[in-house]
Amino acid sequence: MPKVLVSDPIEQVGIDILSQVAQVDIQTNLSAEELVRIIPEYDALMIRSGTRVTQAIIQAATQLKIIGRAGVGVDNVDIPAATRRGIVVVNSPEGNTIAAAEHTLAMMMALSRHIPEANYSVKSGQWDRKRFTGVEIYKKVLGIVGLGKIGSHVATVARAMGMRLLAYDPYLSLDRAEQLGCRLVELDLLIQEADFITLHLPKTPETANLINAPILAKMKPTARLINCARGGIIDEAALAEALQAGQIAGAALDVYDKEPLAADSPLRQLSREVILTPHLGASTEEAQVNVAIDVAEQIRDVLLGLPARSAVNIPGLRPDLLEKLKPYLQLAETLGNLVSQLAGGRVESLKVSLQGELATSESQPVVVAALKGLLSHALQERVNYVNASIEAKERGIRVIETRDASIRDYSGSLQLSATGSLGEHSVTGSLLGDNEIRITSVDEFPINVPPARFMLFTLHRDMPGIIGKIGSLLGSFNVNIASMQVGRKIVRGDAVMVLNIDDPLPEGLLEEIMKVPGIRDAYTVML
Ligand SMILES: NC(=O)c1ccc[n+]([C@@H]2O[C@H](COP(=O)([O-])OP(=O)(O)OC[C@H]3O[C@@H](n4cnc5c(N)ncnc54)[C@H](O)[C@@H]3O)[C@@H](O)[C@H]2O)c1
Ligand SMILES: O=C(O)[C@H](O)COP(=O)(O)O
């Protein structure tokens, strides 16, 4: 049974999903050294933002197939290192969107009405109403930096509360901003005009310290700044100085450059209106259930050999597209594995022909799946959807893709032709109505067989008695035949025979089969 390490607090519902397919160990608060020591045992790692998955940990993770981040941000994972090792990194891009947006709105309301300070004052025995006069947010300008999923929800609610919206997002279309009722402007203008500024962008080299001393200096003295995105987007020392000097009216922070926030951080010492929460944006019951289910399901799928629906380091697949392609991905992997064995080792080229409904640009992952299958015999579980294309390229395998929507023998079919040390061989496959895989041709000979763990293929002359001879030969070696089929193009011409057998072919039997008169070639395959 595979083993999963859960190294941050995760909702039980996620653990239950993982437990269906794996042994789950929950060990939180591990040091980096402890993680490096134990990670070699594990097939999957499930984390939140608390675990930093460094290159050293990834290098030690010899069994690891997947890192599941129960949340959005994957900046605590060394993605390039994981990709190089063929480790899939998945997250939950939408599971905590509402939670983070609502935390932002709560921060804005708390700032505008001094709620934390007023609460503290009453609880410490005072009744000071004058000190806590606030400001309304109605008709105030909200500047949203980063108008993605969270920024959009903040915009929708803030608009309903009567705020006027400005947004800065260099990667967003004017249309989308307009739809959300936001005026898309340059950062400088937003900074100068906004009464509240909220950040909803990722931390990247481009956005590190985006909000720095010169930018803070341009804000209105009445402006209030909120960061529920990522630490390090604001220069914390500059912010502390700006607040101390009364350059801006307040700030509410949920995230910090270094977490946990240092005990002696100047932010903790400020007397002016500052609200600090310990990275609670995603901490709602609902969000934690969402992300735990979302990521645990993906870990379960990957451990079962299926693709993940939101892997960050393989070409993204929309859930609806993944649902549609999933059976074809399995078909492609099976055919890739089969054709690589028929073509022998050292495959030089793979022709991938996508036919019928598969002949669309959306079926590109099917090509990757075919490569994964092609390489799986040689590389076993080291090859996956993340690294299959890179591995194929590094191995000098030429991949030629063709698409033909007019071929409609089945709704969609896939033909793979590989040239290897045993020459060129091709297989075609399709799906039956219930998504069962059928191999529909081998080397252009029509057949209709399901794939099996152990298979025997022969190329022979179509003549009386040959099938009986092969059957008897297998019987004499105590090999049980599960199914058998012959495909031919012309009567008494060449033909292929495909046998699904219950056990691997015993040693010496293939040579005996080759001696049968009329047999031109024979291959044994293990899928
Ligand atoms: N505090 C929390 O607990 C919490 C919870 C969830 C998400 N987050 C963080 O919130 C942020 C937003 O998450 P999301 O789900 O909305 O992401 P998203 O990918 O949907 O949106 C991010 C937006 O930022 C924009 N952007 C990128 N670079 C930019 C730049 N230089 N300037 C302006 N805009 C830029 C993108 O175009 C995109 O529209 C992320 O940093 C995420 O990690 C925090
Ligand atoms: O990126 C995220 O999803 C948020 O920062 C939440 O992180 P958390 O799940 O560790 O609270």
Side-chain angles (χ1 to χ4, degrees), residues 378-427:
L379 303 180
Q380 306 289 308
E381 66 280 354
R382 274 209 311 109
V383 63
N384 56 34
Y385 287 90
V386 181
N387 63 6
S389 304
I390 302 172
E391 287 283 351
K393 200 168 170 200
E394 281 179 359
R395 282 158 185 270
I397 299 173
R398 259 182 337 119
V399 183
I400 304 142
E401 291 174 39
T402 56
R403 290 178 163 75
D404 190 344
S406 68
I407 303 177
R408 287 212 160 264
D409 298 346
Y410 292 83
S411 50
S413 355
L414 177 71
Q415 184 174 59
L416 302 181
S417 309
T419 308
S421 49
L422 300 177
E424 181 171 0
H425 286 276
S426 73
V427 290

Side-chain angles (χ1 to χ4, degrees), residues 48-50 69-75 92 96 229-230 255 279-283 288 291:
R48 282 179 61 188
S49 58
R69 158 59 162 122
V72 188
V74 286
D75 43 351
S92 173
N96 59 26
R230 274 293 173 270
V255 286
H279 202 146
L280 292 182
S283 295
Q288 285 315 305
V291 296

